[in-house]
Amino acid sequence: MTPLRSLLFIPGDSAKKLAKADGAGADALILDLEDSVSLSQKPLARELVPDFLRARPRAARTSQLWVRINPLDTALALEDLVEVVSAQPDGLMLPKADGPADVFKLSLYLDALEVQAGVPAGSIRILPVATETAIAPFRLGDYAGARLERLVGLTWGAEDLSAALGASTNRDPAGAWAMAYRMARVLTLMAARATGVQPIDTLYADFRDEAGLRAASQESRGEGFTGRLAIHPAQVAAINESYMPSSAEIDHAHRVLAAFAEEPGAGTVGLDGRMLDLPHLKQAQGVLALAAAYAR
Ligand code: COA
Ligand code: MG
């Protein structure tokens, strides 16, 4: 599946925001049925979201269309599924997942509902928010052995995790993520890589701070994340650009490949007075693969 750089949330009960979504330029839209929609508005969201999907059949979509359902431990989740599956979302975001067992359970629901709705089997993918409960971070490594065919990535969230931990803040005194959230974040990255799915960074809450978003996203990509969640259309361009390897990095990657190609069989070569060995080659191949995937 094509990697996703930007995944823009849209509250599913907001006809006005849904109407603005197509033009946002996001790789994926996440039509939300969960926390941005109050309980009294859920029925409205469950009408607007399937309507939005049906008006944009899969073949005609410019962005992937995902739906964030309610957590599986609420009765709301099944009601969501019954309404949205037949409208063929590209995927479902599963919030407050406790671990791979929750993703497996959702997969089984989808196995049945896809058949019932006449939707191609296995076509609806899953992206769990994998750190939003107190137990979830302990299970991140278990995704690697779970063989979840619908799983396309792992992402993480700090707000629900801090509620689950009884924290009054998720920031340290300097304003950076506090230890628990830094830990959840890097474990998400490691777990996604170990599983062979996309590591997707969490949202950047201050949607008026474009410079801060760019700096955070470039740092995030440098660490290995391939995209991030967005909450406002104004964040999308900055995210798309930040997760695309720069032309300097692409040039450098080509030069690394060329340096190895010049000395077939060499495990280590020199470039610009610096030693390169196989991890550098792998890294350069990774940069070019990502650039190719995003150049569409
Ligand atoms: N999707 C589509 N359109 C959006 C949007 C979004 N996520 N966020 C804002 N817009 C629209 C607004 O409706 C507004 O439209 P208008 O110019 O026709 O009035 C325009 O973009 C500018 O919005 P702005 O005034 O800057 O922001 P706001 O104060 O209206 O909204 C939020 C701020 C945070 C409430 C809003 O961005 C939002 O709802 N984000 C998504 C929240 C969400 O889904 N959270 C769940 C995951 S944590
Ligand atoms: Mg939440």
Side-chain angles (χ1 to χ4, degrees):
M1 176 176 247
T2 332
L4 304 169
R5 293 165 299 184
S6 52
L7 302 91
L8 173 64
F9 277 111
I10 299 145
D13 63 339
S14 172
K16 179 174 157 223
K17 287 175 189 168
L18 287 167
K20 299 207 122 189
D22 288 312
D27 287 346
L29 304 177
I30 305 177
L31 314 171
D32 190 25
L33 299 177
E34 200 219 2
D35 282 352
S36 72
V37 179
S38 67
L39 204 53
S40 64
Q41 292 283 95
K42 303 267 188 212
L44 173 62
R46 286 196 196 109
E47 286 179 24
L48 296 183
V49 165
D51 284 351
F52 186 93
L53 291 165
R54 288 200 173 88
R56 294 158 186 77
R58 274 198 182 152
R61 289 176 190 169
T62 50
S63 302
Q64 287 191 22
L65 300 181
W66 285 63
V67 176
R68 181 167 72 169
I69 61 168
N70 284 280
L72 285 186
D73 63 356
T74 67
L76 298 168
L78 288 177
E79 296 171 30
D80 294 341
L81 289 173
V82 163
E83 297 301 330
V84 303
V85 166
S86 61
Q88 302 209 24
D90 293 288
L92 299 177
M93 175 180 267
L94 179 63
K96 300 178 183 63
D98 277 336
D102 279 350
V103 173
F104 184 64
K105 188 170 167 183
L106 177 57
S107 296
L108 294 180
Y109 290 150
L110 288 174
D111 288 347
L113 289 167
E114 282 174 343
V115 170
Q116 186 196 37
V119 173
S123 64
I124 300 177
R125 318 307 289 273
I126 300 175
L127 173 64
V129 191
T131 68
E132 287 190 317
T133 71
I135 192 69
F138 294 95
R139 299 194 174 140
L140 280 165
D142 297 342
Y143 283 98
R147 287 191 287 187
L148 298 164
E149 289 183 359
R150 296 177 187 271
L151 189 73
V152 298
L154 296 176
T155 189
W156 73 285
E159 301 309 326
D160 286 280
L161 181 58
S162 36
L165 298 182
S168 53
T169 176
N170 48 32
R171 298 289 174 169
D172 70 10
W177 292 120
M179 175 62 91
Y181 310 90
R182 297 211 302 273
M183 215 171 85
R185 179 172 178 273
V186 297
L187 289 173
T188 301
L189 169 64
M190 292 171 186
R193 290 302 185 187
T195 309
V197 298
Q198 288 178 65
I200 297 175
D201 211 345
T202 199
L203 56 91
Y204 188 86
D206 186 354
F207 59 83
R208 306 250 184 262
D209 177 13
E210 190 187 315
L213 170 64
R214 280 183 191 273
S217 300
Q218 280 159 19
E219 190 179 336
S220 160
R221 188 174 67 73
E223 289 171 275
F225 286 96
T226 56
R228 84 182 306 146
L229 308 177
I231 49 168
H232 192 288
Q235 296 185 311
V236 169
I239 293 175
N240 286 349
E241 286 162 29
S242 299
Y243 284 92
M244 181 78 189
S246 68
S247 48
E249 286 166 285
I250 295 171
D251 288 350
H252 181 74
H254 281 301
R255 295 185 60 223
V256 171
L257 260 60
F260 277 95
E262 271 171 32
E263 296 183 48
T268 176
V269 299
L271 180 66
D272 302 337
R274 302 183 68 171
M275 186 275 290
L276 300 176
D277 60 5
L278 292 179
H280 297 100
L281 177 61
K282 260 192 182 168
Q283 201 257 345
Q285 288 163 337
V287 165
L288 295 178
L290 199 60
Y294 285 152
R296 66 200 132 96

